[in-house]
Amino acid sequence: MSADASRALVLAIETSCDDTCAAVVDWQGHVRSNVISSQGVHERFGGVVPEIASRHHMQLVNVIVAAALQQASVTLDEISLVAVTQGPGLIGALLVGLSTAKALAAARRLPLAAVDHLQGHVAANFLQALEPGKSGVLEPPFLCLIASGGHTLLAAVRDHDGFEVLGRTLDDAAGEAFDKGARMLGLGFPGGPALQRLAEAGDPRAFAFPGSAEHPRAGRRGALHDSLDFSFAGLKTSLLYKLKELGEARSGERAADLAASYQAAIVESLMVRVERALERSGLEHLAVGGGVAANGELRRRLAELGAAVHVPPAVLCTDNAAMIASAARFGAQLEYPAYLTLDAYATGERAM
Ligand code: KG4
Ligand code: ZN
């Protein structure tokens, strides 16, 4: 990289799921451009179809990269580092981004930073505010909750270049629980916003779900167990049984009650572990990321927490490439041609 790192610009690509993303970010964390193309094609299947996602990334990625450069008013000549999501995610989708990044970097003999997607979500908190007056960079240490369609993670962030996993989901992700619940209730995909809308008219105390404060075996302070790991699969099964029991009576008011109670149980499950983790770690700041951070009920409950809560703007919470560029500023860089042999990883964590 150029000797004058303060003027360095990072071009980042993120294609781990169904969003084709590219961004330009400077070394101080100012977002110069952040282009996201969401693939609406998956809606009709009720979930992301990996093969279709890869094909769309291939069609879109060059256009999105060109748009990111153009919106930042720069050319590839002014880029000092190419960053890309290496994993975890859909392997075919990741490979499209990784190959594109390798080709761009190799063509200019630029260094390349391979970024872990979850480290990217954490590093969204290290970006400068998108608008003047809005909250910007959050410095470690803090507790970070990432709740999206693919991940649910509680991490202690003590440095800029890593995190300690305190808890993660043992089965479905929180967003996936929203999506699957919405599907059972006959709502669209992605299910989170639709389920939230239906829940607004319902009573969150109408039905008891495992993990919810209303459930007889629950206990706000964790009588059930005191792990920091999450589990949402039981909730989904419970919703299925409730729907079966209700039969014809499952629509209208009862559907709203079900949605409200189901949502409350997901949020409760997140909040109990967040509170527990804050207590145990002694951390005083909480950052929240991932698509579920948009949930109104979760936000209401977060506002009641004693801790200082930092939620980046929605475009930086959901999948985006600016967060990948942000992480790249603090991680390792590979020089040409070392990165040409890099492979993507679908699951599992890199040591961090
Ligand atoms: O971070 P994200 O955009 O990316 C993926 O994981 O792909 O998260 C999407 C997830 C979906 O599961 C969606 O249903 C959920 O976030 N989500 C919400 C809300 N908005 C999005 N869940 C609950 N309430 C919302 N308002
Ligand atoms: Zn994500």
Side-chain angles (χ1 to χ4, degrees):
M1 171 139 25
S2 74
D4 189 359
S6 64
R7 288 172 56 199
L9 287 179
V10 186
L11 167 68
I13 300 175
E14 148 67 45
T15 60
S16 66
C17 190
D18 60 337
D19 298 312
T20 316
C21 314
V24 176
V25 171
D26 72 17
W27 212 251
Q28 289 73 41
H30 296 105
V31 179
R32 301 286 190 92
S33 66
N34 188 26
V35 183
I36 302 167
S37 172
S38 301
Q39 306 175 357
V41 285
H42 304 280
E43 277 160 28
R44 80 186 84 137
F45 303 105
V48 176
V49 184
E51 185 56 25
I52 296 178
S54 316
R55 283 166 197 264
H56 275 258
H57 285 310
M58 276 176 55
Q59 285 168 1
L60 289 166
V61 71
N62 289 333
V63 180
I64 299 298
V65 167
L69 290 169
Q70 194 196 18
Q71 286 181 26
S73 305
V74 294
T75 65
L76 202 49
D77 293 329
E78 291 158 82
I79 297 297
S80 348
L81 172 67
V82 177
V84 64
T85 308
Q86 189 185 10
L90 303 172
I91 198 74
L94 287 162
L95 284 171
V96 176
L98 185 59
S99 313
T100 308
K102 283 181 190 177
L104 286 169
R108 301 296 158 118
R109 298 294 190 264
L110 291 171
L112 184 137
V115 175
D116 182 86
H117 182 78
L118 294 164
Q119 182 65 42
H121 275 295
V122 168
N125 296 289
F126 307 146
L127 288 166
Q128 304 281 346
L130 295 183
E131 293 167 44
K134 292 275 155 59
S135 75
V137 181
L138 178 68
E139 293 292 342
F142 56 85
L143 180 72
C144 190
L145 169 70
I146 299 161
S148 73
H151 318 280
T152 308
L153 182 81
L154 255 183
V157 180
R158 296 197 172 87
D159 309 289
H160 287 96
D161 61 349
F163 56 82
E164 182 198 348
V165 177
L166 302 179
R168 58 173 12 129
T169 185
L170 303 174
D171 38 57
D172 293 344
E176 197 176 355
F178 271 103
D179 293 336
K180 289 181 175 170
R183 193 173 187 178
M184 285 186 232
L185 288 162
L187 307 170
F189 174 84
L195 198 140
Q196 178 180 329
R197 241 174 283 125
L198 180 60
E200 272 156 25
D203 174 7
R205 289 171 302 276
F207 293 92
F209 280 96
S212 73
E214 312 306 322
H215 196 268
R217 282 189 303 133
R220 283 265 312 124
R221 301 297 150 196
L224 202 50
H225 61 101
D226 84 346
S227 157
L228 291 174
D229 286 329
F230 303 88
S231 169
F232 296 102
L235 261 177
K236 193 179 60 189
T237 315
S238 176
L239 177 62
L240 187 70
Y241 283 123
K242 286 180 170 56
L243 281 167
K244 273 199 181 139
E245 277 165 32
L246 284 173
E248 292 302 306
R250 56 159 66 179
S251 57
E253 207 177 293
R254 297 309 276 163
D257 285 347
L258 264 182
S261 305
Y262 184 76
Q263 170 177 263
I266 298 175
V267 171
E268 176 68 14
S269 165
L270 295 172
M271 290 303 299
V272 165
R273 284 156 186 84
V274 162
E275 286 180 45
R276 221 176 259 160
L278 283 170
E279 235 169 73
R280 284 187 200 166
S281 65
L283 293 167
E284 290 169 0
H285 291 258
L286 170 71
V288 186
V292 179
N295 185 263
E297 175 63 10
L298 178 62
R299 282 175 174 252
R300 192 185 64 74
R301 294 286 306 276
L302 287 171
E304 292 171 2
L305 260 186
V309 181
H310 179 94
V311 188
V315 284
L316 300 179
C317 276
T318 54
D319 288 350
N320 67 87
M323 70 184 195
I324 302 301
S326 180
R329 296 178 296 147
F330 304 100
Q333 298 173 18
L334 290 169
E335 293 300 326
Y336 176 86
Y339 49 78
L340 293 179
T341 52
L342 275 183
D343 211 347
Y345 54 93
T347 55
E349 309 91 58
R350 272 196 324 193
M352 63 170 69

